[in-house]
Amino acid sequence: MNALAATSRNFKQAAKLLGLDSKLEKSLLIPFREIKVECTIPKDDGTLASYVGFRVQHDNARGPMKGGIRYHHEVDPDEVNALAQLMTWKTAVANIPYGGAKGGIGCSPGDLSISELERLTRVFTQKIHDLIGIHTDVPAPDMGTNSQTMAWILDEYSKFHGYSPAVVTGKPVDLGGSLGRDAATGRGVLFATEALLAEHGKGIAGQRFVIQGFGNVGSWAAQLISEAGGKVIAISDVTGAVKNVDGLDIVQLVKHSAENKGIKGFKGGDAIAPDSLLTEECDVLIPAALGGVINKDNANDIKAKYIIEAANHPTDPEADEILSKKGVLILPDILANSGGVTVSYFETSRGSCGTKRR
């Protein structure tokens, strides 16, 4: 199901349960502002390349709009719109004074050099600088971006508006970032999982975990869950998937992934088909990659008792219904992965003046 259609369907169901006025419901579905820009940059070989960037500002009723910027080849207006909407609900659930926004550029960051990524980021910032700001819209890292990306945005934005460290979060510590921001979303996944399991008389220790995605969120979640005594038995990323029923050595897997740009070829487990990962036998399934990966076609085959949505909208509404009938408990993304935006709030409220926050 289309990302925006899925997110809107979930909202309409929630609105019905809450008895929201139809006018308010319609108002909350329509974004405050949608921005689409062309970003043309010179490549290292002298040729020109054009990319399309988006920023959707969904709602500012509770405060400045907040949301990441992702670099991925599948970025499109509907996906960005859906993610912006989810940020509005996420900041409300976390009870922090932000609204929702999201941005992205349709590109493959792995195919671009560092200098090309910098030029692309700076051109994108030039196109949207007058529509973001500490009291308007505060970007952050997302898929395919990191603290360096935020540093480039901060520097380029400051050329127009003066030095403004609070215009982004997730920036380097030396520029006023938070010491805990890199691990924040993954740590939030751990805390949310602990709380859910505790309600059912269980703990992290002894539970079998399967994690789809080994980027920032997935890798940190795996490390922290392993440290807490959980047994991570299978993991996948864009390069492949690996399984060890006795538990993967996450420290060694992180090292291997960094050295080889992916988990493919890791000797501490058996290679499996990435498509089979979601249906592996486990206690807790953590989708931490792209949206829409759990759908009506594979929901019946999922064997996990609990699903923790570390990714944004990983479960289609149709799959929700199937899993609910099976008795599978799902911790929704707007709670499960809200650790990142929570620490971003700490960074903006205190760290923006250069104070290093742990």
Side-chain angles (χ1 to χ4, degrees):
M1 183 181 291
N2 172 278
L4 182 57
T7 303
S8 297
R9 177 172 165 177
N10 284 338
F11 171 74
K12 289 176 181 178
Q13 289 180 337
K16 184 177 180 180
L17 290 170
L18 290 168
L20 286 186
D21 178 79
S22 60
K23 294 179 181 178
L24 179 59
E25 177 183 333
K26 185 176 181 179
S27 174
L28 288 172
L29 278 173
I30 300 172
F32 174 79
R33 180 186 289 129
E34 296 182 65
I35 306 156
K36 178 181 178 181
V37 297
E38 180 188 19
C39 302
T40 300
I41 63 166
K43 301 285 290 290
D44 291 345
D45 62 6
T47 62
L48 290 178
S50 292
Y51 304 91
V52 179
F54 305 95
R55 187 71 178 173
V56 174
Q57 298 169 331
H58 179 257
D59 187 86
N60 61 359
R62 303 185 70 256
M65 292 167 282
K66 187 83 184 74
I69 292 176
R70 61 174 49 187
Y71 290 179
H72 192 271
H73 65 278
E74 292 183 355
V75 166
D76 64 51
D78 280 354
E79 180 194 44
V80 177
N81 203 318
L83 293 170
Q85 187 182 136
L86 286 172
M87 282 303 301
T88 297
W89 318 141
K90 187 183 302 182
T91 53
V93 168
N95 196 26
I96 51 180
Y98 283 139
K102 206 74 174 187
I105 299 177
C107 68
S108 298
D111 295 337
L112 300 176
S113 68
I114 296 297
S115 59
E116 288 169 341
L117 286 170
E118 178 178 359
R119 289 194 287 272
L120 179 58
T121 301
R122 289 182 180 277
V123 169
F124 183 55
T125 306
Q126 291 167 14
K127 298 292 182 75
I128 68 169
H129 73 87
D130 56 342
L131 298 172
I132 62 174
I134 183 172
H135 300 299
T136 308
D137 178 5
V138 182
D142 199 273
M143 183 182 298
T145 58
N146 53 30
S147 61
Q148 179 60 72
T149 315
M150 297 304 106
W152 291 329
I153 293 175
L154 165 57
D155 186 60
E156 195 66 26
Y157 179 87
S158 297
K159 291 179 183 178
F160 297 94
H161 303 276
Y163 184 59
S164 309
V167 71
V168 293
T169 59
K171 53 190 173 287
V173 173
D174 289 344
L175 295 178
S178 168
L179 289 168
R181 179 61 182 87
D182 192 47
T185 307
R187 194 176 299 279
V189 170
L190 171 70
F191 291 161
T193 305
E194 286 179 329
L196 178 64
L197 292 175
E199 286 191 359
H200 296 85
K202 300 177 182 179
I204 296 290
Q207 300 295 311
R208 298 166 301 157
F209 292 81
V210 167
I211 301 176
Q212 184 196 45
F214 205 61
N216 174 272
V217 179
S219 62
W220 273 112
Q223 292 175 72
L224 296 168
I225 287 168
S226 182
E227 290 172 6
K231 185 185 291 187
V232 182
I233 61 171
I235 289 177
S236 70
D237 69 1
V238 294
T239 67
V242 62
K243 176 182 178 181
N244 187 329
V245 293
D246 296 321
L248 293 162
D249 185 331
I250 303 302
V251 174
Q252 290 302 313
L253 185 57
V254 169
K255 182 180 178 182
H256 174 89
S257 179
E259 293 174 349
N260 297 276
K261 296 184 178 181
I263 67 174
K264 184 178 180 179
F266 181 62
K267 303 300 184 183
D270 299 319
I272 61 173
D275 291 345
S276 70
L277 183 106
L278 294 171
T279 57
E280 287 289 334
E281 186 80 41
C282 65
D283 300 305
V284 183
L285 173 62
I286 303 180
L290 294 171
V293 295
I294 300 175
N295 50 57
K296 63 180 181 180
D297 296 325
N298 61 12
N300 276 313
D301 298 322
I302 287 176
K303 302 174 184 66
K305 304 177 184 70
Y306 306 94
I307 295 176
I308 312 298
E309 294 189 333
N312 291 310
H313 67 84
T315 312
D316 276 351
E318 294 162 322
D320 269 330
E321 295 175 7
I322 295 170
L323 292 166
S324 177
K325 292 176 182 177
K326 290 178 61 177
V328 178
L329 290 177
I330 302 176
L331 197 65
D333 49 0
I334 57 174
L335 173 60
N337 66 28
S338 62
V341 73
T342 301
V343 174
S344 285
Y345 171 61
F346 298 155
E347 180 179 330
T348 300
S349 58
R350 294 289 298 277
S352 58
C353 298
T355 304
K356 297 179 182 179
R357 300 291 294 172
R358 185 180 296 276

